[in-house]
Amino acid sequence: MTITRVTQRMMTNRSVGGMQAGLARISQVQEQLSTGRVLNRPSDSPTGTSAAMRLRDSLSSVKQYQRNGQDGLGWLGQIDGALASVTTSLGRAKDLAIQGANAVNSSPSAREALATEIDQIRSGLVSDANTTYLDRPVFGGVTAGGKAYDSAGAFVGVAGAVNRSVADGVKIRVDVDGPSAFGPPGGSVFDHLSTLSNALRAGDGAGLSASISDLQADLTRIQSARAQAGGAYNRVEAAIGSAADSELRLTASLSDVENVDLPKATIELQLANVAYQAALGATSKVIQPSLLDFLR
């Protein structure tokens, strides 16, 4: 049997080391409880810090997708409102055209009244075609200007799609091309209303019949554009909901990595404190009595 020599200095150093370790553990748990976080510096857990950084990056992307989606809903909501107004106005113009065709031999003043209302409808449609969202015309493509159509009903925008990223690799168009909705130059709804107005003033029966057919085609095209915008609106809404779900999951995961488990940490603090008190008691018995103790 080998007997290892144990000196008083060895026992003292070991006791002091144990007390320092106990104090360090108490300090660590106390810091976690006071900050509410397990990770207070990268050295606390390098792997946990790396995971938290990746989760925060994903969380930032998801929040940006939601902001993009909300912006897209703003565009598409304005488009839906404008096209609804256009549909109503075109329906009224078509009714007036039918009324004029049935009374082509009516007095010039009666036909002038119908033509004047058509002119007003046309002006209103130009205003609808220049509907904006955040000062950008929703039917003007990628133009930097503030209008999609001039007062004569000519397209002055710049063709191009306005897209919004609503998920990783998913972009949705949130505008409607003006000529696709209101018709191409020379055959737009504004041209058709001008032709209708002239036909009413001239009492041109054939022209009125042709205008009725043109307005019906315009109505069909506007409704198709509105349905397209409605479909895009639904897609953006669904993407926002999906992003919100992802945000909740990522936030929960980040909390698991970064935040402290309060009940568990509280128990750990109590255990560490008990261990430290025990170490203090043991150390007081290990320290060798001095000569002064014998002289008392």
Side-chain angles (χ1 to χ4, degrees), residues 12-274:
T12 301
N13 289 341
R14 188 178 301 166
S15 298
V16 172
M19 287 192 298
Q20 290 296 328
L23 274 177
R25 180 56 185 158
I26 289 174
S27 174
Q28 181 185 27
V29 178
Q30 190 274 336
E31 182 184 34
Q32 291 176 357
L33 284 172
S34 61
T35 61
R37 297 163 60 88
V38 175
L39 301 177
N40 290 292
R41 58 190 65 80
S43 59
D44 288 340
S45 173
T47 55
T49 302
S50 176
M53 291 175 65
R54 290 198 299 272
L55 286 170
R56 285 190 178 280
D57 183 57
S58 298
L59 199 55
S60 176
S61 298
V62 166
K63 289 180 178 178
Q64 184 60 52
Y65 290 144
Q66 291 183 71
R67 287 192 290 271
N68 293 346
Q70 293 295 344
D71 183 67
L73 290 184
W75 279 77
L76 293 166
Q78 287 291 89
I79 290 170
D80 183 68
L83 293 181
S85 175
V86 170
T87 301
T88 302
S89 297
L90 279 182
R92 174 60 181 167
K94 184 182 174 184
D95 292 341
L96 293 174
I98 294 173
Q99 184 180 342
N102 291 333
V104 70
N105 294 322
S106 59
S107 66
S109 60
R111 287 187 277 110
E112 177 62 26
L114 293 175
T116 299
E117 185 170 351
I118 291 296
D119 292 339
Q120 293 298 319
I121 289 174
R122 184 180 182 282
S123 297
L125 289 186
V126 171
S127 178
D128 288 333
N130 282 320
T131 298
T132 61
Y133 177 70
L134 298 180
D135 296 330
R136 291 190 61 186
V138 295
F139 299 106
V142 294
T143 180
K147 290 184 178 296
Y149 286 86
D150 62 16
S151 58
F155 182 69
V156 294
V158 178
V162 178
N163 298 312
R164 290 292 177 267
S165 295
V166 294
D168 187 17
V170 178
K171 291 184 177 181
I172 297 178
R173 183 169 186 171
V174 297
D175 73 315
V176 168
D177 181 56
S180 297
F182 296 96
S188 70
V189 62
F190 311 110
D191 299 322
H192 294 157
L193 289 174
S194 294
T195 302
L196 172 60
S197 177
N198 294 333
L200 283 170
R201 289 190 171 91
D204 182 0
L208 289 173
S209 297
S211 292
I212 293 171
S213 299
D214 290 339
L215 290 179
Q216 182 56 53
D218 291 334
L219 271 171
T220 302
R221 190 175 56 249
I222 290 293
Q223 288 167 353
S224 175
R226 192 180 180 191
Q228 181 182 354
Y233 191 98
N234 291 337
R235 286 186 62 198
V236 173
E237 265 196 329
I240 291 175
S242 177
D245 292 341
S246 296
E247 182 184 1
L248 287 176
R249 289 193 294 270
L250 290 170
T251 301
S253 299
L254 184 62
S255 178
D256 291 341
V257 173
E258 284 189 334
N259 296 339
V260 68
D261 183 342
L262 289 176
K264 180 181 177 183
T266 302
I267 294 174
E268 286 185 4
L269 180 62
Q270 292 174 348
L271 292 175
N273 191 45
V274 169

